[in-house]
Amino acid sequence: MSIFKKSLTSFLLPLTYYLLPITFLTACTSESYETGDGKYSYLRADFGEIHTAKPQQVDYAVNDEGRRISFETAPTVKWAEKGDTLYRALLYYNDLPDKAARSISLQPVYVLAPKAAADVKDPRHDPVTFESAWLSTCQRTDLAIAVDSLSREAVTHYLNIAFLVKTGQPDDEKARQTIGMMSEQTDDGKLRLTLLHDQGAIPQYYSTRIYVSIPLSDSQLQRGISLCINTYDGELIRTF
């Protein structure tokens, strides 16, 4: 129980301030299509949370469907720097019949804790390319205990967003591009979330895909949520 509570309160990525530097990810590539039981016949991609037994070593994952995933060989993930911690991630793995999963790639999903609009002194809204947004609930059923307080803690709601940012090699090594989330209450009691993006001094040569998850409460979901993103085509608003 103490391990679970410690993990639950510290599962956010180390870069979980309301503004965070963007870490650029390499895209997964696949070889030519194979029929039958080929290399990618059982490939799955899930959003969920990975648990580290010790720094950079993953012992299992729980996807957003509540399924616990054990791995054939414990994956090593350099960005998961703390032990006994849950990290939000995008999992690519081979879901082998009657066997433990075979990890292919575990990519970080940034968990953004929204900051109140009144506390954001200079919000930046540099454009991004929006791809998709959806709600999910990570149900850690394997960790839940039949006690009300613990059972409630075993569920986390997320608003997930996928978008592209323009990037390139800056002349200044200290240049940083940052993203964040700002929150405010509307007159009708709904939660308004605004994606913050500061291009900084980063050149815009090519696009990099970013995934972020925003933790939400039951009451916020019940009242309703609007998501505002400045894109190259103007302001985009999605409601949930």
Side-chain angles (χ1 to χ4, degrees):
M1 180 175 65
S2 60
I3 294 177
F4 171 59
K5 290 179 71 65
K6 176 183 177 183
S7 299
L8 184 65
T9 57
S10 60
F11 73 88
L12 303 184
L13 284 170
L15 299 177
T16 49
Y17 306 103
Y18 86 100
L19 286 176
L20 55 84
I22 295 174
T23 301
F24 302 110
L25 310 177
T26 56
C28 289
T29 59
S30 62
E31 301 171 356
S32 58
Y33 175 75
E34 301 177 20
T35 58
D37 287 349
K39 183 177 180 180
Y40 297 103
S41 297
Y42 301 99
L43 178 64
R44 281 192 56 144
D46 285 343
F47 280 80
E49 293 165 5
I50 59 174
H51 179 266
T52 52
K54 59 183 181 179
Q56 301 184 355
Q57 183 174 311
V58 177
D59 54 351
Y60 68 87
V62 180
N63 68 12
D64 281 357
E65 298 173 354
R67 176 188 172 194
R68 181 181 174 121
I69 302 165
S70 299
F71 295 103
E72 182 181 58
T73 302
T76 299
V77 182
K78 292 183 178 179
W79 50 264
E81 297 177 347
K82 296 181 180 180
D84 187 25
T85 303
L86 288 169
Y87 287 87
R88 185 82 172 147
L90 172 57
L91 297 76
Y92 293 96
Y93 62 99
N94 278 332
D95 191 17
L96 305 173
D98 302 320
K99 296 181 181 179
R102 185 173 300 155
S103 173
I104 296 177
S105 174
L106 302 177
Q107 297 187 8
V109 174
Y110 298 108
V111 179
L112 296 180
K115 191 163 187 177
D119 297 328
V120 182
K121 296 181 179 179
D122 183 24
R124 297 296 302 270
H125 306 282
D126 293 333
V128 301
T129 301
F130 174 79
E131 286 196 329
S132 61
W134 69 99
L135 294 172
S136 68
T137 299
C138 190
Q139 303 181 31
R140 306 180 199 91
T141 53
D142 64 310
L143 296 175
I145 301 177
V147 178
D148 288 345
S149 60
L150 294 178
S151 297
R152 283 196 296 268
E153 289 181 344
V155 174
T156 300
H157 305 293
Y158 288 112
L159 171 59
N160 307 290
I161 313 170
F163 57 94
L164 304 176
V165 296
K166 299 288 187 180
T167 186
Q169 185 63 42
D171 295 329
D172 184 358
E173 294 182 356
K174 296 182 179 179
R176 291 291 183 270
Q177 184 172 188
T178 56
I179 57 174
M181 189 64 59
M182 183 173 68
S183 67
E184 51 194 323
Q185 210 74 23
T186 62
D187 293 337
D188 57 359
K190 294 182 179 180
L191 178 66
R192 178 185 175 94
L193 295 172
T194 302
L195 182 73
L196 303 179
H197 174 224
D198 185 352
Q199 186 70 31
I202 304 296
Q204 303 182 48
Y205 296 148
Y206 56 90
S207 296
T208 296
R209 179 176 290 104
I210 301 292
Y211 294 104
V212 300
S213 291
I214 297 92
L216 300 169
S217 66
D218 288 326
S219 60
Q220 289 171 331
L221 289 175
Q222 291 170 3
R223 289 196 299 267
I225 299 164
S226 63
L227 172 67
C228 304
I229 299 177
N230 185 32
T231 75
Y232 290 95
D233 297 321
E235 186 182 43
L236 177 145
I237 300 177
R238 290 285 188 270
T239 58
F240 301 89

